[in-house]
Structure formats: C-alpha cells, structure tokens
Amino acid sequence: MERIPILKRKYGDRSDWKRVIEKSYAQTFLDTKEFKGYVSLLNVHQVTEPLFTQYEDKRICLVDDGYTWLQHFPMNQRFSLTSMFNEKGHVVQWYIDICYRNGVANNIPWMEDLFLYIIVLPTGEVIQKDREELEEALVTGVINQSIYECALDEAARINHLIQTDRFDLFKLSNKHKEWLVLHGTYT
C-alpha cells in the first residue's frame, strides 16, 4: 500500500494569507458536462501591499485592492487552476498547481501541493516553475518515485492540453466567476 505523503495544503479561502486584510469569499460545487468539482472566488478588497512577480522582462501584479482569484478544484484530478483577475476584471494570469489530490475539509476545498506550477499569461506565453522543488522533495524523501513521476506526467498532460488549445477551464473562468458573483453565498 502506497504511503500518502504529508504535503502542504492550500485552501480556497486563503484564510492564512496575511497580506489580505479585507476580503469576501464564495464557493460552490458544480457538476456540469464541462466541470465537476469545487469552485471558489476570493474577492480582495484591501491588501497590506500589492504582490508582484517577475517573469523575465514582465512584471505582473498578482494581487492588489479589487483583485479577484477564482480557483477550480476538479474532482479526481491532480491539478488546481487559479485564475487571477485585476480590478478591471481582466485575467492577469492562470496558475496551474500540480497536486497530489484535491479535497474538502470543514466545507472548504483544498489541494495538496506537488511543487510544480504551470503559468499561462493572457498573451499565451507558458511558464514552467519549480521543477527544482519537486526534485528536492524526491531527494529528501518528502515524496517517493511514484509520486514524482505522477507529478511529471500530469504536468506533461496539462502542457499538451494547453499547446493543443484543449485546456477548457481557461474558457470557463469568466463564466464561473460571473456565476459565483451572481449566485454565490459569501462569507
């Protein structure tokens, strides 16, 4: 029997995020032809300071006052997608976490981080991140060879879907965000 690793969980409500000092949060479970799983919406009203990232020559703001993060936690999949929208409602990036599994605790969806990330910018540029962290997790025994290979296989599968324009959650991001804005129960 395979040992289940103890991995860092990331929750949809981002309750541990100290940078965000005022927010509202909604979530729902969707079971449609296009998607089955939890979808969460984090509306950021006020931050202590904006969060920026640098991709080569591009400096991108990931969170600031008025930003919205929509996160998909698909059932029985090994990834989670976060669509990051600026204060004008435009996508600044899609962030795909490769994960061991998605789940729910205390009615809040979560994913267990497997260190690999795929970032897609609205320009279509694809950025791969943190292969070194995955390698280190294998070497230090945080994960085993089987989980390591699973993470690489999932990243390759998703990259193929992106390259062939078949990663359909990108196309559902705005639709699911608008649905949660109109019908979500906020906390």
Side-chain angles (χ1 to χ4, degrees):
M1 184 168 165
E2 183 178 42
R3 174 182 73 85
I4 296 177
I6 298 172
L7 298 169
K8 180 180 177 184
R9 285 188 176 174
K10 293 181 182 176
Y11 289 84
D13 67 353
R14 308 282 174 149
S15 59
D16 61 341
W17 204 2
K18 304 289 187 248
R19 178 184 306 267
V20 177
I21 53 178
E22 188 181 333
K23 66 181 179 181
S24 56
Y25 173 79
Q27 70 181 43
T28 193
F29 182 83
L30 295 177
D31 188 355
T32 67
K33 186 178 88 173
E34 300 96 2
F35 178 79
K36 182 176 182 176
Y38 282 88
V39 183
S40 67
L41 186 67
L42 180 71
N43 294 301
V44 178
H45 304 295
Q46 187 178 6
V47 296
T48 57
E49 63 181 314
L51 173 63
F52 290 88
T53 192
Q54 189 79 32
Y55 302 126
E56 295 180 16
D57 62 337
K58 293 178 179 71
R59 185 168 190 242
I60 297 173
C61 183
L62 300 179
V63 73
D64 199 353
D65 297 352
Y67 275 50
T68 303
W69 283 24
L70 179 80
Q71 191 163 3
H72 287 89
F73 300 86
M75 297 293 290
N76 304 314
Q77 297 291 321
R78 293 191 186 265
F79 74 90
S80 177
L81 170 67
T82 305
S83 303
M84 300 171 187
F85 298 88
N86 65 18
E87 75 284 357
K88 295 178 182 172
H90 301 133
V91 171
V92 295
Q93 78 173 15
W94 289 281
Y95 191 93
I96 303 163
D97 285 282
I98 305 302
C99 60
Y100 184 68
R101 61 186 172 174
N102 292 315
V104 178
N106 299 319
N107 200 35
I108 304 293
W110 52 258
M111 52 80 63
E112 288 180 329
D113 188 5
L114 271 182
F115 314 103
L116 284 179
Y117 310 99
I118 302 167
I119 296 148
V120 180
L121 302 179
T123 59
E125 186 177 352
V126 179
I127 302 160
Q128 312 292 319
K129 296 287 285 179
D130 294 340
R131 172 85 183 248
E132 317 79 46
E133 284 188 39
L134 180 68
E135 304 278 344
E136 183 179 332
L138 176 63
V139 169
T140 59
V142 172
I143 60 172
N144 62 27
Q145 186 69 33
S146 172
I147 294 170
Y148 171 82
E149 290 172 10
C150 180
L152 291 178
D153 290 347
E154 182 67 1
R157 183 184 78 81
I158 290 173
N159 275 311
H160 177 71
L161 291 173
I162 292 167
Q163 291 168 358
T164 58
D165 196 30
R166 293 184 300 140
F167 192 77
D168 295 333
L169 280 184
F170 292 155
K171 299 168 191 160
L172 294 173
S173 293
N174 278 308
K175 177 182 174 182
H176 288 169
K177 179 178 77 122
E178 293 307 316
W179 191 93
L180 274 167
V181 166
L182 294 173
H183 305 289
T185 303
Y186 283 87
T187 58

